[in-house]
Amino acid sequence: MNEKMRIDAYSIMSDAIAAVDPEACIYRSVEKSGNELLIHGRSYDLSHYANIYVIAFGKASIPMSKAMEEILGDSLTSGIAVTKNGFAGPLSRMNVFESAHPTPDNNSIEAGRMIHDFLDTTDANDLIFFLISGGGSALVTYPRKGISLTDMAKLTETLIRSGATIDELNVVRKHLCAIKGGGLAKMAFPSESVSLILSDVVDDPLDVIASGPTVPDTSSFVDFHDIIERYNIILSPAVAGVLDDGLEGVIEETPNSGATVFEKASHYLVGNNSLALLEAEKKASELGYNTMVLTSSVVGEAREVAKVFAAIAREERRRGAPLPLPACILVGGETTVTMKGRGLGGRCQEMALSFAIEVAELNNVLLLAAGTDGNDGTTDCAGAFADGETVQSGRNLQLDARMYLSNNNSYGFFKETGDLIKTGPTGTNVMDIYIILVDMF
C-alpha cells in the first residue's frame, strides 16, 4: 500500500471530523451576550424564563452539552445527557446516563422514562434546549404500552440485518416509541423548546434524525405496514397488535405539522456531512490533490456502491477524468449491509473489501471508508483502507477476499492485513466519509 496516500487520506479524514466536532458546531451556532442568546440570527431573552434546561441524547451529547453548559453558565438550571456506552464524560450541571446502540437496552428505556418524568415537571414559563445527534433513536426509547424491550430489540436487529435503510428503521421506531416522531415535543409542551441538531442522515431531514423526536412527523402507520411487508418481517404479537390498532385508528398517529405542540418549538441544524466534506476538500487541496466533492448523499448496498467507486478510480487511472491526477474524490453518506453470513464487520469495512476486489492490482489507487463517529457496525474500528494491493496482501496470509466478503467478515480480513482504521470514539456523528485517492504512476 502506498504509505504516502494512506497518510494523506487519514489526514483528510481527521480534518473533516474536526470540522464537525460537536462543541465547535454549537459554538458556531450559539452566542450569548448578557441575557441575550443568539441562534442563527434569532434572539432569545433568557431573563423571560423561570427555568432553563438542557436535554441531550445521541453519540455527540456530551460535547454538545459541554458547549451549552459553558455558553449558558449560571442561566442553566439543570439537565440530562444520554450517550452511548463508553462515550460518557463529566458535565457540571447535567446528569449523564449511558445506554446501548444500535439495539436499545434496559438503560434506553430508563433514559426515556427519566426524560418523560423530567418534562412532566416543566411548564409554560420554562425554556428547554434539546441537543440531538445520531444514535438518539436507540439510546432513548419510551415504548408504547404493551411493547417490551425484547420486541423493540428483535425488530430493530431484524430490520438492520434485512438491509432496511435508516429512514425505514426510524419510521418503525416512531410508531412504537412515544418519544419519537414528534413525541418529545408533545411531552415538552407548553414549555418553549429549541432543538439544536447534528445530522447523521442523508440530506438532513429533521424528521429522520434520531427519529425526529421534536419535529412534525410525515410518516404513518401505513408506511410502517409497507416496510414490514417489503422485508417480509414476522412481528411479535404485541407489535402486530400496535400496528393493527394504528391502521384502524384506535391508536393516535404521530403529531403532524398542524399539531399545537409545535407552536413553541424551534429547530436549528448545527452540523452535517456536507460541512465535513468541505473541510476535507480544503485539506486535500492543501496536500496537492485536484479535488471534488461528488456527493454527500450516497446510499445503497455497501458492496455495490464500492463497485461504483472502483469504476471512478479506474476512469481516473485510464483518462485522468473527471479530475487530472493526482485526484481526490470525496463522498459522504450512509450505506447499508444485508447480512447473509455470520462474520463481523460494518458498512465501511464491507465497502472497502468490495472496493479492494474491484481494483485488485491497480497501482496508486486508495479508498478510505470510515464512520465519522469512529464506530463501524459492532466493531472497535471506524472503517478500513483498501487499494490495489489489498487482495494480494490477503493471499499472502492465506486469506480469500471474496470468501470473507461473502461471509460479511470484512473485519476479520482487515484485522489480519492491518488495514483497519481505529480512531476511538470521536464524539461526533455525521454519517460516513469516503476518500478516493488516485496518484500518478
Side-chain angles (χ1 to χ4, degrees):
M1 182 171 286
N2 185 312
E3 191 63 24
K4 177 184 181 300
M5 292 175 68
R6 184 170 177 148
I7 292 170
D8 286 349
Y10 193 90
S11 179
I12 293 166
M13 178 198 71
S14 298
D15 277 28
I17 291 173
V20 287
D21 173 80
E23 288 189 62
C25 288
I26 293 294
Y27 282 118
R28 276 195 298 265
S29 302
V30 183
E31 296 179 45
K32 182 173 180 283
S33 178
N35 286 323
E36 182 187 32
L37 200 70
L38 195 65
I39 305 176
H40 286 201
R42 180 172 173 180
S43 178
Y44 294 84
D45 188 343
L46 301 181
S47 65
H48 287 176
Y49 304 99
N51 299 286
I52 297 173
Y53 302 110
V54 172
I55 294 178
F57 51 98
K59 296 179 187 177
S61 66
I62 300 303
M64 292 177 81
S65 297
K66 284 181 178 178
M68 284 303 291
E69 281 190 337
E70 180 69 25
I71 292 168
L72 291 171
D74 292 339
S75 298
L76 176 60
T77 305
S78 64
I80 298 171
V82 184
T83 192
K84 181 178 177 176
N85 291 326
F87 281 45
L91 296 174
S92 60
R93 294 175 178 267
M94 300 170 61
N95 294 321
V96 178
F97 198 78
E98 289 183 307
S99 56
H101 179 277
T103 303
D105 63 358
N106 285 319
N107 282 354
S108 305
I109 293 178
E110 178 63 17
R113 184 197 63 77
M114 282 194 311
I115 290 174
H116 171 270
D117 293 350
F118 187 94
L119 293 175
D120 225 19
T121 67
T122 62
D123 59 32
N125 297 314
D126 298 328
L127 173 62
I128 304 167
F129 288 98
F130 292 114
L131 311 181
I132 302 170
S133 57
S137 293
L139 296 173
V140 175
T141 188
Y142 195 69
R144 288 183 184 268
K145 188 175 181 180
I147 301 296
S148 69
L149 174 63
T150 300
D151 291 326
M152 298 279 285
K154 283 187 175 180
L155 182 53
T156 298
E157 183 176 353
T158 300
L159 285 165
I160 290 173
R161 292 182 67 89
S162 298
T165 67
I166 187 65
D167 296 35
E168 292 170 330
L169 190 62
N170 284 348
V171 167
V172 173
R173 286 166 165 167
K174 289 176 185 179
H175 290 84
L176 296 178
C177 173
I179 280 180
K180 299 172 177 62
L184 191 60
K186 188 175 181 180
M187 292 178 186
F189 189 79
S191 298
E192 184 167 0
S193 66
V194 175
S195 297
L196 303 177
I197 303 170
L198 186 66
S199 174
D200 71 326
V201 296
V202 170
D203 296 332
D204 310 322
L206 299 186
D207 63 328
V208 175
I209 303 167
S211 299
T214 62
V215 299
D217 187 24
T218 58
S219 69
S220 66
F221 278 104
V222 172
D223 297 319
F224 180 1
H225 173 267
D226 289 346
I227 292 165
I228 298 305
E229 290 289 307
R230 185 176 305 135
Y231 294 103
N232 196 27
I233 305 294
I234 297 175
L235 300 176
S236 70
V239 174
V242 167
L243 178 55
D244 288 342
D245 286 347
L247 292 171
E248 294 170 8
V250 176
I251 295 177
E252 186 180 22
E253 266 290 1
T254 48
N256 59 31
S257 58
T260 304
V261 299
F262 299 114
E263 291 179 356
K264 298 177 68 177
S266 302
H267 315 89
Y268 304 94
L269 188 68
V270 299
N272 59 9
N273 188 267
S274 293
L275 181 61
L277 290 177
L278 287 173
E279 191 63 28
E281 183 180 33
K282 178 182 175 183
K283 181 62 175 181
S285 296
E286 290 175 358
L287 291 172
Y289 291 93
N290 298 297
T291 307
M292 70 178 295
V293 174
L294 188 61
T295 179
S296 63
S297 303
V298 74
V299 295
E301 190 72 19
R303 64 177 65 187
E304 298 303 320
V305 173
K307 294 177 182 179
V308 177
F309 289 173
I312 292 171
R314 287 196 299 270
E315 191 73 2
E316 279 289 347
R317 169 57 64 233
R318 281 198 304 264
R319 298 195 305 114
L323 295 172
L325 300 180
C328 173
I329 296 174
L330 300 164
V331 183
E334 189 165 285
T335 59
T336 53
V337 173
T338 301
M339 292 292 294
K340 296 180 180 179
R342 296 181 176 274
L344 183 64
R347 57 185 180 261
C348 291
Q349 294 161 80
E350 178 129 340
M351 177 183 287
L353 187 54
S354 179
F355 179 88
I357 292 169
E358 295 296 320
V359 301
E361 300 183 3
L362 199 62
N363 293 328
N364 289 344
V365 167
L366 178 139
L367 171 70
L368 179 156
T372 56
D373 60 354
N375 185 207
D376 186 33
T378 57
T379 70
D380 60 354
C381 67
F385 294 102
D387 68 2
E389 300 174 16
T390 300
V391 171
Q392 184 59 49
S393 295
R395 289 196 192 105
N396 295 341
L397 297 168
Q398 310 302 312
L399 308 176
D400 185 327
R402 292 185 184 276
M403 185 178 295
Y404 274 78
L405 183 63
S406 67
N407 194 36
N408 298 115
N409 193 17
S410 51
Y411 181 87
F413 184 91
F414 287 121
K415 183 179 181 181
E416 293 299 317
T417 62
D419 294 323
L420 293 173
I421 298 169
K422 294 190 177 184
T423 62
T426 64
T428 193
N429 185 19
V430 293
M431 302 189 293
D432 303 333
I433 290 179
Y434 317 113
I435 302 169
I436 304 167
L437 298 183
V438 184
D439 207 345
M440 302 290 190
F441 285 100

